[in-house]
């Protein structure tokens, strides 16, 4: 059966999605990835979708599921490289990928994971940078 | 309204979704639709075939290139003979789902295309027609 | 007795000649836009098509397949003329001068049978009037296309994406933000984010005259799309009255980073990217200027 390869890079896992996912393939990926997180104790998952041209609500839900499941196992998920056309379409569709971090490319995704990890190691518990810096 | 090209595809299994999406891409590329508009149309189409598979165990799609009032566009007609939708207004709402899903498919697809029409008779089936013009308006 | 079609067919060359004369004698016709040869070729094609349709006895339904070639050519001519900048008069005169020529020739040929002539003229009148309406319709459509294209170009020009710092983009929006414009803004911005690998985009709305709930929705969409790509978006240039309307309309911007001025947005962008701007103390003399 067709499978999408998962690469281990230090404390992170990297998946590059290069073909249009049909449902079963996407569900297999979800399974494989979660098993891999649990086996390797990975602290972060990078999903590179830079060559994916269509993300519909099904795909969106898979990405969200991977993120939620990984989080329970103490790993953060970053979706990297979303194409502009895909981003515009997802917003119109109404899908904002809540709970999923995003980054421009794999390198920036790694940086992001490293800071998140660093924060956690210092036992800083403020999750996001959102609210506190609005007024000055 | 003039129909310039026409094709019909049967959708019966999930493996039919990817070739169907490619066919929609081919049609939109042929009329010179921009990438963003193509992506919107294909994503909407993807939502609608998924519904067809999930709720009506398949159906068929008619793909057409049409011209109307000096505008060119792609029209897709999704026809199934499934259970139909008892309350269309409800189904069109964001977040309404009988499939324990996000309930974004129908309202999202409507937002993504220029024209959207849904007709459904409980017990007979559902027909959804969408049109997306070349320049997205 | 010859049918109308036969009479016209027999006198085709004369009609064409008269028609060309009529067209060229119109002082307003601009020969800078089209050569006479071209006009002649076009007119002959048109006349051939017309006579073919008329020979089938169809005088009233120009949307029938008999007329397909004629209407296609005519649409083509009108659209081209609209794009080339011909005036409506020049474009309309094309069919109207054909009508005149046809009628002139018929009058010559039917001197012995006026009632026949009358019927023929009535028929051809209706036919050519319908064709001339088609000409105008298409001409206007052609102009509309030109306008639409220009509108697109304007909104393209009026939304420049500026690279203000390594990794920081700014996009000043001037004028009303409708949904078509938002589309262009979003596409340009997101593409530029990819091209430059920028992490932060500042959307400055000082030049937007009013913010209603629709505009706010457009802004929120742009911010959401930017975030999906993995970049952050700051909205700056929120004037007092804009802040007031936003609150009065009950628009929720609490998830969005907003700043009053572009300068303070830039400041925030610096601190988000761990950059610091400091004044260097170069001259240690008395501070005369600030
Ligand atoms: N072709 C169809 N035949 C019968 N019922 C349908 C059909 N399409 C949609 N429905 C009904 O309309 C509801 C809403 O559809 P919609 O696509 O918006 O959401 P969903 O499929 O449940 O979730 P999502 O698409 O976000 O995964 C569905 O739950 C289903 O009850
Ligand atoms: Mg659905």
């Amino acid at each position: 059966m067709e499978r999408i390869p998962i690469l281990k890079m230090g404390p992170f896992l990297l998946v590059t999605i290069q073909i249009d996912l049909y449902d079963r393939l996407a569900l297999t990926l979800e399974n494989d990835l979660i098993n891999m997180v649990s086996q390797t104790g990975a602290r972060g998952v990078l999903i590179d979708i830079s060559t994916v041209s269509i993300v519909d609500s099904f795909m969106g839900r898979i990405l969200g599921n991977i993120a939620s499941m990984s989080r329970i196992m103490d790993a953060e998920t970053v979706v990297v490289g979303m194409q502009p056309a895909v981003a515009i379409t997802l917003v119109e569709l109404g899908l904002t990928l809540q709970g999923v971090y995003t980054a421009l490319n794999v390198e920036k995704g790694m940086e992001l994971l490293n800071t998140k990890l660093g924060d956690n190691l210092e036992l800083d518990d403020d999750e996001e940078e959102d609210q506190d810096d609005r007024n000055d | 309204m003039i129909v310039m090209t026409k094709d019909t595809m049967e959708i019966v299994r999930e493996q039919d979704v990817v070739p169907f999406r490619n066919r929609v891409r081919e049609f939109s590329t042929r009329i010179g639709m921009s990438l963003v508009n193509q992506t919107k149309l294909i994503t909407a189409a993807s939502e609608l075939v998924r519904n067809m598979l999930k709720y009506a165990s398949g159906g068929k799609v008619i793909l057409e290139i049409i011209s109307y009032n000096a505008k060119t566009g792609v029209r897709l007609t999704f026809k199934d003979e499934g259970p139909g939708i008892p309350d269309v207004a409800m189904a069109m709402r964001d977040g309404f789902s009988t499939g324990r899903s996000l309930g974004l498919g129908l309202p999202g697809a409507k937002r993504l295309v220029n024209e959207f029409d849904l007709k459904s008779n409980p017990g007979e089936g559902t027909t959804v027609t969408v049109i997306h013009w070349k320049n997205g308006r | 007795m010859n049918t109308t079609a036969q009479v016209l067919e027999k006198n085709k060359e004369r009609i064409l000649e008269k028609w060309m004369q009529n067209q060229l004698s119109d002082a307003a016709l601009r020969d800078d836009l089209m050569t006479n040869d071209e006009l002649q070729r076009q007119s002959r094609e048109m006349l051939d098509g017309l006579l073919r349709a008329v020979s089938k006895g169809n005088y009233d339904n120009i949307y029938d397949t008999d007329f397909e070639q004629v209407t296609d050519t005519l649409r083509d001519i009108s659209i081209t003329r609209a794009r080339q900048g011909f005036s409506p008069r020049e474009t309309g005169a094309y069919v109207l001068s054909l009508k005149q020529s046809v009628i002139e020739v018929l009058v010559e040929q039917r001197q012995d049978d006026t009632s026949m002539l009358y019927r023929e003229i009535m028929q051809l009148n209706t036919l050519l009037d319908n064709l001339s309406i088609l000409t105008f319709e298409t001409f206007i459509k052609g102009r509309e296309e030109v306008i639409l294209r220009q509108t697109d170009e304007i909104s393209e020009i009026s939304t420049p994406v500026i690279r203000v710092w390594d990794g920081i983009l700014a996009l000043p929006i001037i004028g009303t933000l409708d949904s078509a414009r938002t589309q262009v803004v979003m596409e340009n911005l997101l593409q530029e984010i990819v091209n430059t690998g920028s992490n932060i985009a500042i959307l400055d709305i000082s030049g937007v005259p009013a913010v209603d709930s629709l505009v706010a929705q457009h802004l929120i969409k742009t911010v959401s799309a930017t975030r999906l790509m993995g970049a952050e978006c700051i909205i700056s240039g929120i004037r007092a009255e804009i802040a007031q309307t936003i609150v009065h309309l009950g628009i929720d911007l609490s998830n969005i980073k907003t700043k009053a001025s572009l300068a303070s947005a830039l400041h925030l962008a610096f601190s988000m990217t761990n950059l610091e701007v400091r004044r260097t103390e170069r001259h240690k003399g008395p501070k005369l200027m600030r």
Side-chain angles (χ1 to χ4, degrees), chain C residues 63-64 76 84 101 110 118 121 124 145 194 203 247 274 278 283:
Chain C
Y63 297 102
D64 195 278
D76 209 43
Q84 286 177 333
S101 325
R110 291 283 194 220
Y118 176 74
I121 288 181
L124 285 163
E145 265 174 34
V194 175
L203 223 57
V247 172
N274 301 324
R278 261 182 304 172
H283 307 291

Side-chain angles (χ1 to χ4, degrees), chain A residues 20-25 53-61 83-86 88-89 91-95, chain B residues 14-15 18 21-22 25 35-36 39-40 42-43 46-47 50 54 100-102 104-105 108-109 111-112:
Chain A
D20 266 334
L21 289 184
Y22 54 88
D23 305 16
R24 198 159 308 146
L25 192 56
S53 55
I54 301 294
V55 175
D56 59 6
S57 67
F58 176 82
M59 251 290 264
R61 202 153 44 111
Q83 288 180 14
V86 173
I88 293 173
T89 301
V91 169
E92 212 64 59
L93 187 64
L95 207 73
Chain B
E14 55 159 281
Q15 281 90 330
V18 173
R21 294 206 296 215
N22 292 340
R25 181 167 311 275
L35 182 64
V36 172
T39 310
K40 287 183 176 178
I42 299 167
T43 307
S46 187
E47 295 297 335
R50 278 194 199 294
K54 188 167 167 183
R100 284 199 295 153
S101 188
L102 302 169
L104 277 181
R111 284 190 291 267
L112 286 171

Side-chain angles (χ1 to χ4, degrees), chain C:
Chain C
M1 174 115 155
N2 284 331
T3 64
T4 318
Q6 283 167 334
V7 173
L8 295 177
E9 185 63 44
K10 221 187 306 169
N11 294 282
K12 192 160 88 184
E13 289 308 315
R14 259 190 73 60
I15 296 174
L16 188 64
E17 192 186 315
K18 276 181 179 294
W19 186 19
M20 285 302 291
Q21 267 168 17
N22 282 341
Q23 290 189 66
L24 295 174
S25 70
D26 185 346
L29 187 76
R30 310 238 293 272
D31 48 13
D32 57 324
L33 294 177
M34 184 189 249
T35 65
N36 286 353
D37 285 351
E38 213 178 321
L39 185 64
Q40 171 112 27
R41 188 192 51 75
Q42 222 177 42
S43 304
R44 180 180 292 278
E45 210 176 288
M46 173 77 205
L47 186 57
D48 282 345
L50 183 71
L51 295 188
R52 219 171 303 133
V54 165
S55 74
K56 298 205 175 123
N58 184 349
Y59 285 94
D60 31 57
N61 185 9
I62 61 164
Y63 297 102
D64 195 278
T65 46
D66 294 345
F67 276 99
E68 213 163 278
Q69 199 210 332
V70 175
T71 49
D72 277 357
T73 322
L74 210 50
R75 281 202 185 95
D76 209 43
I77 292 172
S78 310
I79 286 268
T80 321
R81 289 191 169 193
R83 281 187 200 135
Q84 286 177 333
F86 276 79
S87 70
R89 178 203 162 95
E90 286 165 328
T91 312
Y94 183 72
V95 175
L96 294 175
S97 59
L98 170 62
K99 179 160 97 176
Q100 199 190 336
S101 325
V102 171
I103 290 175
E104 277 169 19
V105 167
L106 270 180
V107 170
E108 284 171 17
Q109 300 296 317
R110 291 283 194 220
Q111 279 166 358
D112 44 344
D113 189 349
T114 44
S115 67
M116 176 73 169
L117 177 63
Y118 176 74
R119 246 181 299 126
E120 283 179 327
I121 288 181
M122 286 307 283
Q123 273 182 328
L124 285 163
N125 238 335
T126 318
L127 174 61
L128 286 158
D129 285 354
N130 280 333
L131 288 176
S132 108
I133 289 171
L134 181 82
T135 310
F136 276 115
E137 261 178 10
T138 325
F139 180 78
I140 288 167
K141 224 173 270 166
R143 294 301 281 253
E144 273 166 2
E145 265 174 34
V146 172
I147 295 168
L148 269 181
R149 210 184 46 234
Q150 287 170 342
T151 315
D152 283 349
E153 278 166 14
I154 291 169
S155 60
E156 199 89 38
I157 295 165
S158 57
T159 50
V161 184
I162 305 158
R163 208 171 157 181
V164 283
W165 204 269
D166 197 26
I168 304 174
L169 297 176
L171 201 157
I173 302 171
I174 294 157
T176 313
L177 198 61
D178 58 13
S179 58
R181 184 98 185 278
T182 308
Q183 206 59 51
V184 178
V185 167
M186 263 207 249
E187 281 178 40
N188 287 353
L189 181 65
L190 299 193
Q191 194 52 55
E192 224 25 52
I193 287 175
V194 175
N195 294 349
T196 59
S198 299
N199 289 323
I200 298 176
I202 303 170
L203 223 57
D204 187 78
I205 59 167
S206 339
V208 177
V211 174
D212 54 13
S213 48
L214 205 63
V215 173
Q217 222 181 352
H218 291 324
L219 290 172
I220 293 169
K221 275 185 192 170
T222 310
V223 173
S224 308
T226 315
R227 284 190 183 150
L228 281 174
M229 306 255 317
E232 191 48 73
C233 195
I234 306 168
I235 296 183
S236 72
I238 313 258
R239 284 169 277 132
E241 70 264 30
I242 289 186
Q244 280 175 318
T245 3
I246 286 174
V247 172
H248 284 153
L249 290 172
I251 300 164
D252 182 16
L253 291 185
S254 60
N255 278 322
I256 294 177
K257 295 182 201 309
T258 51
K259 288 284 170 202
S261 68
L262 184 60
S264 45
L266 194 57
H267 206 85
L268 171 59
F270 283 155
S271 79
M272 283 165 68
T273 40
N274 301 324
L275 282 169
E276 203 178 321
V277 182
R278 261 182 304 172
R279 194 186 310 270
T280 56
E281 304 256 335
R282 247 184 301 177
H283 307 291
K284 290 249 159 140
K287 281 182 188 158
L288 289 174
M289 292 170 293
R290 269 194 57 103

